[in-house]
Amino acid sequence: MWDFGAAFDHLVEQDTAAWKRLGADRPPYFVQPSGSIKSPLAIHLLNPTFYVADSKNTVTDDPTNPTIRLLHDCGLSSKHCFMFDEICRRDRTDDCLLFYTEDLRRPHKDFARSVRENMSAAVEICFGEEVFKEISKIAHLVRFPLWGIFKSVRIWLELDGSNLNSMRRFIIQAYHPQFFSRPGRFKKSSSEFLETYARPQDLAILMATQLAGLHHQIKLKPNFFEAYFVRGKFDRLTTRQDLERRAHICQALDAFRVAFPKRFEEYELRLARRKEEKGLLQELKGIPSSSLIPMQTHSNGPISEQNQVINILLQCLKL
């Protein structure tokens, strides 16, 4: 019988050893899955971050985190779902994607694979492209196209690796909750938001609860992302909590600098260039558009005002 506690302890041991091999000694900010592993519905996320009231909290289902709060708001929690991360160490998601090597990710991948092999979920919601990408590497998936109002739901059948005539569970591909919270991505009232993102997200969650047989137990907010979602509606950290979050991030960056000096140097260079570009864009806003007219011409046709601005930026960067 699989021992969950022993498996998690092994993950912690292997992760700690991997960082030490790189010369970095990192604090043990690990997060365990939440809910019952016997639940018929699993929520699969990428990684926990330091944006929580207490960074020492070791559970995935922490509503002080904006992602988890958004899941709670639409009706999903560890009360009826099993919730787990692909990477069980707290870090900024972008830092995980940039710095985590295969050696660092292997202990977490092995643990996530063991979790998936032993959980009872008949339905698994993969939130975000990175999570689905990892699943598609290890699972035999077959697309199951739907029709009618559920046509936009991305659902897959995960077949049993040892018997392809047997199905293990349904995999439902959904957008990561933070996808909806990024400023400037789209207007909430736009048809693109409603038809391409919000409505498919609501239908994916509805389909998942119905297939898992939990639609009578989970009180979903119908059309949550389409009608009720408010960008930026989550509890802000206190000043002290935010200072702690920033301190943890600085500590993590120090570890990345030690473990990956060349990659970190490139990372800092990109940040410096981004800051420089931002400053140049601010300066260009003060230039009258009439000064960019008449438009430059090219053998393939006129160059737009937007492309002229980009060309000016590129020339400035070469100075």
Side-chain angles (χ1 to χ4, degrees):
M1 184 176 180
W2 187 62
D3 188 329
F4 170 83
F8 192 80
D9 289 343
H10 183 68
L11 157 66
V12 172
E13 179 184 328
Q14 293 299 308
D15 173 277
T16 304
W19 281 105
K20 285 186 176 180
R21 285 194 295 273
L22 293 167
D25 189 11
R26 302 202 63 190
Y29 291 114
F30 296 98
V31 175
Q32 298 186 28
S34 295
S36 171
I37 200 168
K38 299 297 183 183
S39 171
L41 176 59
I43 305 298
H44 194 164
L45 300 163
L46 182 60
N47 74 289
T49 70
F50 289 113
Y51 201 106
V52 286
D54 182 4
S55 57
K56 293 184 177 64
N57 191 357
T58 60
V59 297
T60 300
D61 193 9
D62 183 346
T64 65
N65 173 265
T67 293
I68 303 301
R69 173 59 187 272
L70 200 51
L71 291 177
H72 278 215
D73 287 346
C74 71
L76 300 175
S77 73
S78 59
K79 182 178 180 180
H80 297 294
C81 307
F82 178 65
M83 307 173 74
F84 69 105
D85 288 289
E86 182 69 22
I87 297 172
C88 297
R89 174 184 276 283
R90 291 195 189 281
D91 263 320
R92 293 188 301 184
T93 298
D94 287 346
D95 290 340
C96 289
L97 298 177
L98 178 60
F99 293 110
Y100 276 48
T101 60
E102 183 61 30
D103 190 46
L104 287 174
R105 294 195 69 161
R106 188 175 298 110
H108 299 270
K109 287 183 176 182
D110 291 345
F111 178 74
R113 184 182 296 110
S114 294
V115 165
R116 297 189 71 253
E117 288 173 353
N118 289 278
M119 68 185 188
S120 301
V123 184
E124 178 180 353
I125 308 179
C126 293
F127 281 102
E129 294 302 316
E130 290 298 328
V131 171
F132 181 76
K133 189 190 302 181
E134 291 302 320
I135 294 299
S136 62
K137 291 176 183 177
I138 62 173
H140 191 110
L141 303 179
V142 177
R143 184 68 186 267
F144 188 80
L146 298 177
W147 56 94
I149 65 168
F150 290 106
K151 184 178 180 179
S152 62
V153 176
R154 297 171 294 175
I155 186 169
W156 305 74
L157 308 180
E158 181 181 358
L159 305 183
D160 191 322
S162 59
N163 181 9
L164 297 183
N165 292 320
S166 175
M167 191 185 86
R168 176 173 288 180
R169 62 176 56 94
F170 291 103
I171 301 293
I172 293 183
Q173 199 177 350
Y175 296 105
H176 192 281
Q178 286 306 303
F179 171 86
F180 294 90
S181 298
R182 295 175 185 171
R185 180 172 288 276
F186 35 57
K187 292 182 179 179
K188 183 182 175 184
S189 58
S190 69
S191 59
E192 179 189 12
F193 174 80
L194 296 175
E195 297 173 13
T196 309
Y197 304 112
R199 193 170 298 139
Q201 186 82 345
D202 286 326
L203 290 172
I205 293 172
L206 175 62
M207 172 63 74
T209 57
Q210 289 184 334
L211 289 175
L214 294 174
H215 51 292
H216 294 304
Q217 300 176 46
I218 296 179
K219 295 181 180 179
L220 288 181
K221 260 192 179 177
N223 308 318
F224 172 77
F225 285 95
E226 187 174 353
Y228 299 101
F229 167 72
V230 177
R231 181 181 290 132
K233 185 183 178 182
F234 56 88
D235 296 333
R236 297 303 194 272
L237 299 180
T238 65
T239 301
R240 180 184 63 79
Q241 291 166 348
D242 194 52
L243 286 173
E244 288 182 357
R245 177 186 70 86
R246 293 170 184 267
H248 291 318
I249 291 173
C250 288
Q251 193 176 42
L253 290 174
D254 286 340
F256 298 144
R257 183 184 287 107
V258 171
F260 311 104
K262 182 174 176 57
R263 191 177 301 182
F264 194 86
E265 184 180 347
E266 294 171 350
Y267 161 77
E268 288 189 309
L269 182 60
R270 283 196 297 273
L271 286 183
R273 285 178 175 173
R274 199 172 301 156
K275 185 177 181 180
E276 184 180 2
E277 289 170 5
K278 188 176 180 180
L280 288 169
L281 284 171
Q282 290 298 324
E283 291 178 18
L284 285 170
K285 285 182 179 179
I287 300 176
S289 59
S290 57
S291 65
L292 299 175
I293 295 174
M295 291 195 302
Q296 302 172 38
T297 58
H298 188 271
S299 59
N300 293 327
I303 301 176
S304 69
E305 183 175 324
Q306 177 181 339
N307 283 338
Q308 288 188 55
V309 172
I310 292 173
N311 288 338
I312 291 173
L313 282 172
L314 292 174
Q315 290 301 318
C316 289
L317 288 175
K318 293 178 181 178
L319 296 177

